[in-house]
Every structure is written in C-alpha cells, then in structure tokens.
C-alpha cells in the first residue's frame, strides 16, 4: 500500500536580508545604545551575532559567605542589608552590605549608579565575583532569574558605558533570528566535516553549555569566514590574471645617483626588498607587492626607489597617502632628494586654489612631473597621468581597487602597497592571498628600542617632569591628547584647550604648538615645519601625528588617557619617537588600573612589554574588538572575527580546498559580494 502522502517538514526559507536590518529593530535599542554599539562596530543584527565573546565566565563554585576563600571566584545568594553609592572622580562606587545567614560582607559595584535604587533592604540577590581586601567585588548579579551569574555566561568586548547585561540581552534577542541567515554549506560538506548548523553554532557561541561547546561553534563560524575570504581571493585573482603591465628596463644611472645622495646606506633588509621589487618590475604582470615594515623601519626610502625606477624608464610614479597631512609629509621628505636628482615632484592636494590645482594636473598629464604625491582619493578620481608605471599606496588595507582605478587603457601600473600596521605574516598571506609580501624586519641599526612606561594619572606630574628634562637637554616632545567623543571639531577644540592648559601649567615657559585635523593646511604645515625646524619644543596633537611625522630630535612622548586608544594606534603613535640615535621614551598615562576594562589593561601591558610591531599585531588580534574608538583601519578584508590564526591553520587549508568546490553556493556568494563591497569601501572617505 502507498504510504500516506505527507507534507514536507516545514522549513523556513533563509532570509539573510533580515540580518542586515539595523540593531534598532531589536527591542530597547534607542539612539544612545545604537551609538554605543556603533562604536563597537555593531550596526546590524548580523554584526551583533558576529560579536564574539572575548571569554566566558568560568564555572564558579556556589559558596556561602563563610566559605569564601582567598580571591577565588564564587557565586553567592544573599540579601541586602543596606546600600549606598559615592563618587571618586569619574568613578562611581556602590557598596551594599549583604548577608546570607553565615556572615555579612561588603559587595561593591563600579559605575552602576542606577543600581542603588534597586538594592533596597531585604532584596534577594545572586552575585558572582571575587573577594578582595574591601569585601566582595561583583562582576555580575541577578535579581530573580539567574542569567547573568550563570556559568559560561558570555563576556563581550565592550566599552565602559555599555553593560554586559545589555549586550547579553540584545544577543539573546538577535539569536531568535539566527535561522534567518540560512545554512551556507551543503549538507554533504557538513556531514563529512562533522560541522554543526551555522544557526546552531551561533547559538552555542553566545550560549555555550561548556567551553568545548563554544570552541566547536567558533570553529564552524571560522570556517565559514575563511571560506568566504578564499572565495573572494579567487575572484580577485581571476580578475587580475588578465592584466598586463609593461616591464621596466633594469636599474640604471638615476637610482645609482639616488643611493649616493641618500644621507645613509640602505640596510640589508631594505636592499633585500629592493631586489624583490626589481624582479617584479622586470615582468609584464603588474607588481602587486605588500611591503610591511614596522614604524620607522625605513619604508619610504624603498618606496622612493621604486618610484625613481619608473622615472628612469622615462615614465611616471605616484605616491598615494591616506590623508593630506601624510601626503604633505611624504612630499617634504622626498622633494629635497628629488630636486638633487633633477626629478620634478608635484604635490596634489585639494587645499590649493583651483588654478594651482589645474596647473599641477596639467604637469602630470603632460608628463613633465616625474613623481606625483597626493591622497588616494585624489589621485584615483581626478588625475590623469601621461604614463604611470609605478604606484605606491601607503597605509591602506585595501585590495586592488586603486589599481583598477588608475588603470590606463588595458595597461596597469606596478603597485607597491605599504603598511606600518604590520599584520602577522600568516594573516597577510591569508588576507592578501594574491599579493607578494615583503618585510623590513629590522630597523636601521643605530636605533635603541623605545622605553615605554605606564603611569596612572596621579603620577602624571612625574611624567611631565621627565618630559621637561628632555626639553631642557634640547630635545623635543609630543603630547597626545585624549580621544574625546564627538566630531573632528570637538576633538580639535579639546586639543587646543589642552595645549592652552599645558602652556599655563606643566609646560609653562616652553614653546608649545598644536596640530589637529581641523587646522587649515597652511597652518598645519606651518606648525609641523616649526616643530621639525626646532622652533617649537612640544607638539600637542590629536592622532593626526599617528603616521608620517619624522623628527629624530623628538625623544619623548606622553599619551594621555592611553587606555582609550587601540593597540595598533598606540604603536603607531609611539613610532613618532625613537627615530634618532638617542634613547627615546613613551609614557602612557591612564586612570588607575582597577577602573580600566580588562582589554585596556591587556593593551597597555602589551605596549610596555614589547616594541615589536609584529608581536603587538598578534596580541591585538587576540584582544581586539574592545574600545577601538577609531579602529576603522582594521575593517574590510582584514577583519576576521572568528578565526584564531595560530590555532586554525588547519581550517585555513580546508577552506582553500573547499573553496574550489563551493564556488557556486548562493549564500556564500552573497557573503563574498558583501565582503568585496566592503573592501572597496574602506578608506574611501
Ligand atoms: P617608515 O616609513 O617605515 O615608518 P621612514 O622611511 O620614515 O620609516 O624612516 C624612518 C627614519 O629612518 C627616517 O628618518 C629615515 O631617514 C631613516 N632611515 C631610513 N633608512 C635608513 C637607513 N638605511 N639608515 C639610517 N636611517 C635610515
Ligand atoms: Mg612612513
């Protein structure tokens, strides 16, 4: 007999577009929470689901107050006797006397003033935390339902003003939509690889039952992410295969003279890269090389070599920087040398008059200018080259786009990408899979490693005393202003105010200048020139000095509220000192340790422990996410959320193999489109 006809099991169709809805579509997200989430890079529901916990609460013992032991984490069931809050500077401390019948203890909360009104006498509470010398420091608590104090509750990267409770509640709600994302992998692949469904993996990532559970989920999501990346790389590589460049003739007289006019000899590391570049330029496939070198390692000398190779071949070079300040800085560095060599250089900026700009563009278009320097945006959108042979792209984690834009009718320039935000070689190969990677691994020999110290605000007077000693010895200094929230204008005003305050107090009697992003080009240039010419002792600055400024006589830097900066950013900032033979210092000032987030403490400790940019980059990947107020550089293709590079080498290999057979999968394809779209977006502002 025929089996009875049955309806197929109800199976909802994937609706991935629902995950792209903004976080405001979740309950309780108003403008303030949206802004806070935005600072963590969370804009859509999908972003929230991809916000990976940085750790999970451990499985803590449930104890009584009498049983508390050392500083061991524990969970207590208590009732409130009385509670009161007070302020100490920016810190709010809430103390509650709590009891469970076996004893009484003082429980403390930081920066949760609103809680005071809830902790009425008699309130039953469940608290998780650690005993300390004042009593019991609470890390999470529940009134009623025990969700926050549960074992393995997720602990998310966050900022000081966004509570774990909020993030947990929001992810909980977002998980209800996890299935809308659909399942990108065919069931056959899932079966052979023994992988959980993607939606289940998301649930387990945020709500694991054990640590192993969480790790299995993370690896599933990492595989998805690596697969999308591999598919994107394959697509890019295919596009590039059809490009042709003109081979340049071998190195000749101009670069020989360049070596002579340089005030130093290239180091072995620099020479090695030069050799690699020469080999690339001799080929008819366009060079696509990534030059990684820590700040101060001497990339610019190598870049100029590549540009001059174009010029001596009778063609042109372009040097593209991410900001106008940096373009100007590059221009100032190379102009003198080029003048000695008889090579004409043009600085293309948007801040000159329209007439000057037209004139400069004409010189580039006619071929009279050998090397053009400008911002990426400008060179890509406005300038026509007579015959562009070599493009150097500084500080942009982007991907082939510039090259397509600068493409002159079927003939592509050779492109050298430079980055001083070193990413670990493993990641570079993953992310820029089709770029050749060069490294300047050692800085010029006469450098001493920068001495870095972390001091708290109470001791900042000593930091300034130290800075003044350098000034009295004829050295110069930087003071980096805190990252305040708000617009570039707010930031600029804060920097001006701080410079004024320093002139009146700590730095009275010294010549103090100030630079920030709101200064007119002429004023900014004047301030920079005054500083490098020794007419200023101190430069008070926002992060505009993050890259490119090169004043070897500057030997000390104070970074205020250093806990608010990202690790890559701190490292970049620090690279402004230590550029001469003198011993240099970097003093990181922050609030007291116990007021900082875990990640901030980890960042500052990492800065003190090493000056090796590659090591810091690895550390950054481990602690990344938190408090990166201006971490946009990390976005796009380098932004792997789930992958742990060292631990997941096997997954990377698997992803490479699987990419070959999964080229046609729809959901993966859509993710690839999104990724490539995003990559084109990065740095275009
Ligand atoms: P990067 O761009 O990699 O941060 P720069 O190219 O700005 O580094 O170089 C940093 C400093 O080191 C500059 O003052 C530069 O003149 C100097 N420098 C570069 N190469 C050498 C070298 N081979 N020997 C001595 N000093 C060098
Ligand atoms: Mg540089």
């Amino acid at each position: 007999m025929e089996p009875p006809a049955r309806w197929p099991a109800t199976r909802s169709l994937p609706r991935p577009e629902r995950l792209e809805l903004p976080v405001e579509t979740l309950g309780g997200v108003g403008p303030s929470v949206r802004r806070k989430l935005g600072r963590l890079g969370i804009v859509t529901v999908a972003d929230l689901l991809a916000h990976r916990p940085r750790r999970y609460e451990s499985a803590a013992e449930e104890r009584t107050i009498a049983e508390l032991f050392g500083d061991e984490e524990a969970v207590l069931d208590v009732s409130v006797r009385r509670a009161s809050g007070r302020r100490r500077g920016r810190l709010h401390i809430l103390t509650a006397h709590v009891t469970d019948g076996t004893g009484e203890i003082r429980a403390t909360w930081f920066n949760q003033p609103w809680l005071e009104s809830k902790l009425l006498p008699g309130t039953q509470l469940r608290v998780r935390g650690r005993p300390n010398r004042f009593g019991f420091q609470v890390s999470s608590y529940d009134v009623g339902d025990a969700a926050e104090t549960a074992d393995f509750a997720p602990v998310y990267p966050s900022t000081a003003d966004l509570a774990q409770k909020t993030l947990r509640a929001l992810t909980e709600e977002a998980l209800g939509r996890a299935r809308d994302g659909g399942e990108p992998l065919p069931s056959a692949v899932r079966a052979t690889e023994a992988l959980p469904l993607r939606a289940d993996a998301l649930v387990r990532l945020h709500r694991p039952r054990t640590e192993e559970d969480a790790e299995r989920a993370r690896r599933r999501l990492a595989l998805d992410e690596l697969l999308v990346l591999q598919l994107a790389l394959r697509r890019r590589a295919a596009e590039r295969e059809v490009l042709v460049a003109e081979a340049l003739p071998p190195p000749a007289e101009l670069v020989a003279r360049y070596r002579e006019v340089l005030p130093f000899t290239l180091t072995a590391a620099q020479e090695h890269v030069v050799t690699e570049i020469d080999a690339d330029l001799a080929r008819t496939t366009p060079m696509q090389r990534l030059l990684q070198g820590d700040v101060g390692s001497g990339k610019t000398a190598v870049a100029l070599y590549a540009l001059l190779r174009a010029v001596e071949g009778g063609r042109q070079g372009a040097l593209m920087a991410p900001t106008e300040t940096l373009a100007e800085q590059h221009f100032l560095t190379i102009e003198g040398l080029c003048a000695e060599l008889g090579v004409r250089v043009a600085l293309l900026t948007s801040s000159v008059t329209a007439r000057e700009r037209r004139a400069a563009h004409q010189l580039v278009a006619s071929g009279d200018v050998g090397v053009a320097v400008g911002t990426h945006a400008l060179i890509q959108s406005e300038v026509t080259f007579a015959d562009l042979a070599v493009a150097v792209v500084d500080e942009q984690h982007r991907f082939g786009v510039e090259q397509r834009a600068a493409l002159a009718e079927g003939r592509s320039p050779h492109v050298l990408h430079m980055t001083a935000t070193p990413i670990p070689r493993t990641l570079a190969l993953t992310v820029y899979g089709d770029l050749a990677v060069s490294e300047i691994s050692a800085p010029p020999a006469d450098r001493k490693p920068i001495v870095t110290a972390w001091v708290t605000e109470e001791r900042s007077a000593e930091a300034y005393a130290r800075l003044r000693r350098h000034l009295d010895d004829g050295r110069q200094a930087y003071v980096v202003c805190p990252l305040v929230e708000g617009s570039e204008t707010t930031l600029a005003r804060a920097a001006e105010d701080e410079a004024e305050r320093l002139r009146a107090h700590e730095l009275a009697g010294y010549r103090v200048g100030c630079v920030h992003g709101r200064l007119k080009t002429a004023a900014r240039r004047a301030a920079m020139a005054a500083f490098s010419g020794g007419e200023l002792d101190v430069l008070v600055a926002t992060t505009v000095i993050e890259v490119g400024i090169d004043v070897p006589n500057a030997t000390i830097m104070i970074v205020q509220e250093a806990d608010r900066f990202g690790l890559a950013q701190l490292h970049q900032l620090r690279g402004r000192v230590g550029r001469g033979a003198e011993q240099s210092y970097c003093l990181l000032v922050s609030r007291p340790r116990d007021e900082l987030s875990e990640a901030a403490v980890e960042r500052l400790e990492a800065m003190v422990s090493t000056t090796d940019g590659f090591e810091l980059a690895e550390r950054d990947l481990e602690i990344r996410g938190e408090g990166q107020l201006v971490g946009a550089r990390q976005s796009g293709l380098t932004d792997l959320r789930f992958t742990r590079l060292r631990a997941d080498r096997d997954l990377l290999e698997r992803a490479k193999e699987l990419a070959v057979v999964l080229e046609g999968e729809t959901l993966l394809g859509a993710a690839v489109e999104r990724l490539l779209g995003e990559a084109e977006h990065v740095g275009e502002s």
Side-chain angles (χ1 to χ4, degrees), residues 221-246:
L221 298 167
L223 181 65
D224 285 5
E225 161 174 274
L226 288 169
L227 254 171
V228 171
L229 186 62
Q230 288 307 315
L231 288 168
L233 287 170
R234 289 171 63 81
R235 203 177 291 188
R236 277 282 186 257
E239 280 172 19
R240 203 168 275 164
E241 218 145 81
V242 300
L243 299 178
V244 200
E246 208 160 294

mmCIF file of all heavy atoms in Angstrom, residues 221-246:
data_model
loop_
_atom_site.group_PDB
_atom_site.id
_atom_site.type_symbol
_atom_site.label_atom_id
_atom_site.label_comp_id
_atom_site.label_asym_id
_atom_site.label_seq_id
_atom_site.Cartn_x
_atom_site.Cartn_y
_atom_site.Cartn_z
ATOM 1 N N LEU A 221 32.135 28.711 12.647
ATOM 2 C CA LEU A 221 31.971 30.066 12.131
ATOM 3 C C LEU A 221 33.270 30.555 11.482
ATOM 4 O O LEU A 221 33.248 31.261 10.480
ATOM 5 C CB LEU A 221 31.519 31.008 13.253
ATOM 6 C CG LEU A 221 30.159 30.619 13.850
ATOM 7 C CD1 LEU A 221 29.891 31.364 15.149
ATOM 8 C CD2 LEU A 221 29.037 30.871 12.844
ATOM 9 N N ALA A 222 34.388 30.130 12.034
ATOM 10 C CA ALA A 222 35.682 30.494 11.449
ATOM 11 C C ALA A 222 35.814 29.881 10.056
ATOM 12 O O ALA A 222 36.308 30.521 9.127
ATOM 13 C CB ALA A 222 36.818 30.031 12.347
ATOM 14 N N LEU A 223 35.349 28.654 9.919
ATOM 15 C CA LEU A 223 35.448 28.018 8.600
ATOM 16 C C LEU A 223 34.617 28.802 7.583
ATOM 17 O O LEU A 223 35.066 29.064 6.462
ATOM 18 C CB LEU A 223 34.990 26.556 8.676
ATOM 19 C CG LEU A 223 35.081 25.816 7.336
ATOM 20 C CD1 LEU A 223 36.528 25.689 6.873
ATOM 21 C CD2 LEU A 223 34.438 24.436 7.402
ATOM 22 N N ASP A 224 33.411 29.180 7.957
ATOM 23 C CA ASP A 224 32.572 29.978 7.056
ATOM 24 C C ASP A 224 33.303 31.236 6.620
ATOM 25 O O ASP A 224 33.330 31.608 5.448
ATOM 26 C CB ASP A 224 31.280 30.424 7.758
ATOM 27 C CG ASP A 224 30.278 29.288 7.892
ATOM 28 O OD1 ASP A 224 30.624 28.148 7.536
ATOM 29 O OD2 ASP A 224 29.150 29.551 8.359
ATOM 30 N N GLU A 225 33.890 31.880 7.603
ATOM 31 C CA GLU A 225 34.546 33.151 7.350
ATOM 32 C C GLU A 225 35.767 32.990 6.434
ATOM 33 O O GLU A 225 35.984 33.762 5.501
ATOM 34 C CB GLU A 225 34.914 33.704 8.718
ATOM 35 C CG GLU A 225 35.936 34.738 8.838
ATOM 36 C CD GLU A 225 35.989 35.199 10.296
ATOM 37 O OE1 GLU A 225 35.209 36.088 10.638
ATOM 38 O OE2 GLU A 225 36.794 34.670 11.082
ATOM 39 N N LEU A 226 36.533 31.937 6.684
ATOM 40 C CA LEU A 226 37.709 31.694 5.851
ATOM 41 C C LEU A 226 37.301 31.289 4.440
ATOM 42 O O LEU A 226 37.963 31.630 3.461
ATOM 43 C CB LEU A 226 38.592 30.613 6.486
ATOM 44 C CG LEU A 226 39.339 31.081 7.735
ATOM 45 C CD1 LEU A 226 39.963 29.895 8.467
ATOM 46 C CD2 LEU A 226 40.417 32.101 7.370
ATOM 47 N N LEU A 227 36.190 30.555 4.342
ATOM 48 C CA LEU A 227 35.691 30.161 3.033
ATOM 49 C C LEU A 227 35.310 31.383 2.209
ATOM 50 O O LEU A 227 35.675 31.497 1.034
ATOM 51 C CB LEU A 227 34.434 29.311 3.216
ATOM 52 C CG LEU A 227 34.593 27.830 2.966
ATOM 53 C CD1 LEU A 227 33.325 27.108 3.395
ATOM 54 C CD2 LEU A 227 34.880 27.580 1.497
ATOM 55 N N VAL A 228 34.593 32.285 2.826
ATOM 56 C CA VAL A 228 34.178 33.496 2.123
ATOM 57 C C VAL A 228 35.421 34.272 1.673
ATOM 58 O O VAL A 228 35.507 34.753 0.547
ATOM 59 C CB VAL A 228 33.274 34.370 3.029
ATOM 60 C CG1 VAL A 228 33.026 35.725 2.402
ATOM 61 C CG2 VAL A 228 31.957 33.647 3.282
ATOM 62 N N LEU A 229 36.394 34.328 2.552
ATOM 63 C CA LEU A 229 37.634 35.031 2.225
ATOM 64 C C LEU A 229 38.353 34.371 1.048
ATOM 65 O O LEU A 229 38.799 35.038 0.106
ATOM 66 C CB LEU A 229 38.531 35.037 3.457
ATOM 67 C CG LEU A 229 39.811 35.832 3.357
ATOM 68 C CD1 LEU A 229 39.506 37.294 3.120
ATOM 69 C CD2 LEU A 229 40.614 35.673 4.637
ATOM 70 N N GLN A 230 38.435 33.064 1.077
ATOM 71 C CA GLN A 230 39.096 32.350 -0.018
ATOM 72 C C GLN A 230 38.366 32.553 -1.335
ATOM 73 O O GLN A 230 38.982 32.738 -2.377
ATOM 74 C CB GLN A 230 39.195 30.851 0.300
ATOM 75 C CG GLN A 230 40.215 30.511 1.370
ATOM 76 C CD GLN A 230 41.585 31.081 1.064
ATOM 77 O OE1 GLN A 230 42.067 30.994 -0.067
ATOM 78 N NE2 GLN A 230 42.207 31.694 2.049
ATOM 79 N N LEU A 231 37.042 32.511 -1.265
ATOM 80 C CA LEU A 231 36.263 32.711 -2.492
ATOM 81 C C LEU A 231 36.501 34.116 -3.036
ATOM 82 O O LEU A 231 36.630 34.310 -4.247
ATOM 83 C CB LEU A 231 34.775 32.481 -2.219
ATOM 84 C CG LEU A 231 34.390 31.013 -1.982
ATOM 85 C CD1 LEU A 231 32.969 30.910 -1.432
ATOM 86 C CD2 LEU A 231 34.512 30.205 -3.278
ATOM 87 N N ALA A 232 36.581 35.087 -2.140
ATOM 88 C CA ALA A 232 36.832 36.460 -2.566
ATOM 89 C C ALA A 232 38.208 36.574 -3.215
ATOM 90 O O ALA A 232 38.371 37.212 -4.258
ATOM 91 C CB ALA A 232 36.727 37.405 -1.372
ATOM 92 N N LEU A 233 39.191 35.920 -2.609
ATOM 93 C CA LEU A 233 40.541 35.968 -3.158
ATOM 94 C C LEU A 233 40.595 35.332 -4.543
ATOM 95 O O LEU A 233 41.257 35.840 -5.441
ATOM 96 C CB LEU A 233 41.514 35.240 -2.230
ATOM 97 C CG LEU A 233 41.846 35.968 -0.931
ATOM 98 C CD1 LEU A 233 42.618 35.053 -0.002
ATOM 99 C CD2 LEU A 233 42.636 37.230 -1.214
ATOM 100 N N ARG A 234 39.875 34.230 -4.696
ATOM 101 C CA ARG A 234 39.871 33.563 -6.003
ATOM 102 C C ARG A 234 39.269 34.480 -7.062
ATOM 103 O O ARG A 234 39.741 34.553 -8.182
ATOM 104 C CB ARG A 234 39.082 32.247 -5.941
ATOM 105 C CG ARG A 234 39.796 31.164 -5.139
ATOM 106 C CD ARG A 234 38.894 29.974 -4.917
ATOM 107 N NE ARG A 234 38.503 29.326 -6.165
ATOM 108 C CZ ARG A 234 39.271 28.459 -6.822
ATOM 109 N NH1 ARG A 234 40.446 28.141 -6.340
ATOM 110 N NH2 ARG A 234 38.865 27.916 -7.946
ATOM 111 N N ARG A 235 38.222 35.163 -6.663
ATOM 112 C CA ARG A 235 37.587 36.056 -7.620
ATOM 113 C C ARG A 235 38.532 37.198 -8.029
ATOM 114 O O ARG A 235 38.676 37.520 -9.196
ATOM 115 C CB ARG A 235 36.297 36.616 -7.024
ATOM 116 C CG ARG A 235 35.349 37.077 -8.092
ATOM 117 C CD ARG A 235 34.058 37.559 -7.530
ATOM 118 N NE ARG A 235 33.233 36.484 -6.955
ATOM 119 C CZ ARG A 235 31.985 36.691 -6.541
ATOM 120 N NH1 ARG A 235 31.457 37.901 -6.626
ATOM 121 N NH2 ARG A 235 31.282 35.717 -6.035
ATOM 122 N N ARG A 236 39.178 37.787 -7.017
ATOM 123 C CA ARG A 236 40.138 38.859 -7.291
ATOM 124 C C ARG A 236 41.281 38.385 -8.186
ATOM 125 O O ARG A 236 41.689 39.058 -9.121
ATOM 126 C CB ARG A 236 40.738 39.374 -5.987
ATOM 127 C CG ARG A 236 39.894 40.387 -5.298
ATOM 128 C CD ARG A 236 40.059 41.741 -5.981
ATOM 129 N NE ARG A 236 39.352 42.775 -5.243
ATOM 130 C CZ ARG A 236 38.189 43.283 -5.602
ATOM 131 N NH1 ARG A 236 37.585 42.874 -6.697
ATOM 132 N NH2 ARG A 236 37.629 44.213 -4.880
ATOM 133 N N ALA A 237 41.788 37.207 -7.875
ATOM 134 C CA ALA A 237 42.920 36.687 -8.626
ATOM 135 C C ALA A 237 42.530 36.486 -10.087
ATOM 136 O O ALA A 237 43.292 36.789 -11.003
ATOM 137 C CB ALA A 237 43.402 35.383 -8.008
ATOM 138 N N ALA A 238 41.302 36.003 -10.297
ATOM 139 C CA ALA A 238 40.848 35.776 -11.660
ATOM 140 C C ALA A 238 40.752 37.091 -12.420
ATOM 141 O O ALA A 238 41.122 37.185 -13.592
ATOM 142 C CB ALA A 238 39.493 35.069 -11.646
ATOM 143 N N GLU A 239 40.269 38.112 -11.719
ATOM 144 C CA GLU A 239 40.165 39.421 -12.366
ATOM 145 C C GLU A 239 41.527 39.949 -12.769
ATOM 146 O O GLU A 239 41.690 40.623 -13.770
ATOM 147 C CB GLU A 239 39.548 40.436 -11.394
ATOM 148 C CG GLU A 239 38.055 40.348 -11.280
ATOM 149 C CD GLU A 239 37.530 41.241 -10.161
ATOM 150 O OE1 GLU A 239 38.263 42.170 -9.729
ATOM 151 O OE2 GLU A 239 36.410 40.993 -9.725
ATOM 152 N N ARG A 240 42.506 39.649 -11.930
ATOM 153 C CA ARG A 240 43.826 40.234 -12.126
ATOM 154 C C ARG A 240 44.620 39.516 -13.204
ATOM 155 O O ARG A 240 45.519 40.085 -13.808
ATOM 156 C CB ARG A 240 44.571 40.165 -10.805
ATOM 157 C CG ARG A 240 45.652 41.152 -10.694
ATOM 158 C CD ARG A 240 46.143 41.212 -9.282
ATOM 159 N NE ARG A 240 45.335 42.112 -8.481
ATOM 160 C CZ ARG A 240 45.350 42.122 -7.164
ATOM 161 N NH1 ARG A 240 46.079 41.269 -6.510
ATOM 162 N NH2 ARG A 240 44.622 42.987 -6.510
ATOM 163 N N GLU A 241 44.273 38.262 -13.400
ATOM 164 C CA GLU A 241 45.023 37.446 -14.334
ATOM 165 C C GLU A 241 45.118 38.083 -15.719
ATOM 166 O O GLU A 241 46.089 37.908 -16.422
ATOM 167 C CB GLU A 241 44.352 36.082 -14.458
ATOM 168 C CG GLU A 241 45.325 34.954 -14.581
ATOM 169 C CD GLU A 241 44.773 33.728 -13.876
ATOM 170 O OE1 GLU A 241 43.934 33.051 -14.497
ATOM 171 O OE2 GLU A 241 45.158 33.482 -12.717
ATOM 172 N N VAL A 242 44.086 38.819 -16.074
ATOM 173 C CA VAL A 242 44.042 39.362 -17.426
ATOM 174 C C VAL A 242 44.813 40.674 -17.555
ATOM 175 O O VAL A 242 44.939 41.217 -18.641
ATOM 176 C CB VAL A 242 42.582 39.592 -17.881
ATOM 177 C CG1 VAL A 242 41.832 38.277 -17.872
ATOM 178 C CG2 VAL A 242 41.896 40.606 -16.986
ATOM 179 N N LEU A 243 45.343 41.195 -16.453
ATOM 180 C CA LEU A 243 46.016 42.492 -16.520
ATOM 181 C C LEU A 243 47.451 42.364 -17.031
ATOM 182 O O LEU A 243 48.138 41.408 -16.738
ATOM 183 C CB LEU A 243 46.041 43.151 -15.147
ATOM 184 C CG LEU A 243 44.678 43.448 -14.529
ATOM 185 C CD1 LEU A 243 44.855 44.052 -13.153
ATOM 186 C CD2 LEU A 243 43.874 44.377 -15.431
ATOM 187 N N VAL A 244 47.848 43.364 -17.774
ATOM 188 C CA VAL A 244 49.198 43.381 -18.317
ATOM 189 C C VAL A 244 49.885 44.682 -17.939
ATOM 190 O O VAL A 244 49.264 45.737 -17.931
ATOM 191 C CB VAL A 244 49.188 43.321 -19.863
ATOM 192 C CG1 VAL A 244 50.530 42.843 -20.384
ATOM 193 C CG2 VAL A 244 48.064 42.450 -20.362
ATOM 194 N N ALA A 245 51.140 44.603 -17.637
ATOM 195 C CA ALA A 245 51.932 45.810 -17.386
ATOM 196 C C ALA A 245 53.111 45.803 -18.343
ATOM 197 O O ALA A 245 53.393 44.795 -18.994
ATOM 198 C CB ALA A 245 52.438 45.828 -15.959
ATOM 199 N N GLU A 246 53.774 46.952 -18.401
ATOM 200 C CA GLU A 246 54.961 46.990 -19.229
ATOM 201 C C GLU A 246 56.167 46.721 -18.336
ATOM 202 O O GLU A 246 56.269 47.283 -17.246
ATOM 203 C CB GLU A 246 55.078 48.380 -19.853
ATOM 204 C CG GLU A 246 55.800 48.363 -21.173
ATOM 205 C CD GLU A 246 55.467 49.619 -21.952
ATOM 206 O OE1 GLU A 246 54.287 49.778 -22.349
ATOM 207 O OE2 GLU A 246 56.370 50.441 -22.127
#
